[in-house]
Amino acid sequence: MYLKNALKHFAVITKHRWIVFKLCIKVGQPWRGLVHDLSKYSPTEFFEGIKYFNGKHSPITDCKKDIGYSNAWLHHKGRNKHHAEYWVDLSAPNKTPIIPYKYVAEMLCDKLAAGIVYKGKDWTKEYELEYWKYERNKIYVNDNIDKLITDFLEQVSENGINKVLTKKNVKQLYNKYCYENHEKQ
């Protein structure tokens, strides 16, 4: 069982990273796609992933249900700047700063790829927006980044990935919601 889960978990991580890489190329961030989620292969993240592997959603979810937290998640969010949680500092005056563009672009690709991998043939262009509506109330994220993600996922829901996930569109969304505020920081 352990070896079987290890192989399956490795395959899911690698498939996810491959999809993120392809999507990141579309938004002009191939390097972000190439280095995306490398920490998932670290012992802290990988072994927990094996233990809680199910193939339907992130093992982190089941670990949190089991013991109340996830060492893998704490490790992961502290090393991967494409997660909004990386940018949270509750003791700072600006608790959730504007995230730099390259990480926002990677974040959008990550969100799409996660749904594509875990939902498989059941994935629809509306799925990510519905999941975001559920997820967004559980995390701290800069209001402008929240608006950008929501706008982007609404566009995907209406028009599909291929029309929406372009370097031009993602950059325009970033400039619309974040550029002025980012320049002031």
Side-chain angles (χ1 to χ4, degrees), residues 7-147:
L7 294 172
K8 287 182 177 182
H9 184 55
F10 180 84
V12 167
I13 293 169
T14 304
K15 181 178 182 179
H16 171 73
R17 289 190 64 244
W18 175 244
I19 294 170
V20 171
F21 175 70
K22 292 191 300 184
L23 297 177
C24 278
I25 288 171
K26 290 181 166 214
V27 295
Q29 296 294 322
W31 179 253
R32 296 303 327 143
L34 189 63
V35 299
H36 178 79
D37 278 357
L38 286 174
S39 70
K40 285 190 176 185
Y41 299 107
S42 70
T44 301
E45 295 183 38
F46 193 75
F47 292 130
E48 184 178 296
I50 294 168
K51 180 177 180 181
Y52 292 96
F53 180 80
N54 61 49
K56 297 181 185 346
H57 56 261
S58 172
I60 289 167
T61 303
D62 290 338
C63 182
K64 287 179 179 180
K65 287 178 185 174
D66 185 29
I67 65 171
Y69 68 97
S70 164
N71 279 320
W73 174 241
L74 295 172
H75 186 269
H76 189 74
K77 72 176 182 165
R79 285 156 182 79
N80 293 280
K81 296 178 182 181
H82 65 275
H83 287 286
E85 295 87 347
Y86 176 93
W87 299 93
V88 175
D89 184 350
L90 297 178
S91 65
N94 185 358
K95 294 172 182 7
T96 56
I98 294 288
I99 302 168
Y101 171 76
K102 64 185 176 181
Y103 303 117
V104 170
E106 182 183 0
M107 177 192 302
L108 298 175
C109 295
D110 181 44
K111 288 184 178 309
L112 293 172
I116 289 167
V117 168
Y118 285 119
K119 294 302 282 183
K121 62 180 170 43
D122 295 329
W123 185 86
T124 65
K125 61 186 172 106
E126 297 83 17
Y127 173 77
E128 297 307 326
L129 178 60
E130 292 306 312
Y131 187 79
W132 175 243
K133 288 176 182 177
Y134 163 79
E135 178 188 42
R136 74 194 285 201
N137 297 321
K138 295 181 175 192
I139 63 171
Y140 287 104
V141 64
N142 179 283
D143 289 342
N144 291 27
I145 299 296
D146 177 37
K147 291 173 189 169

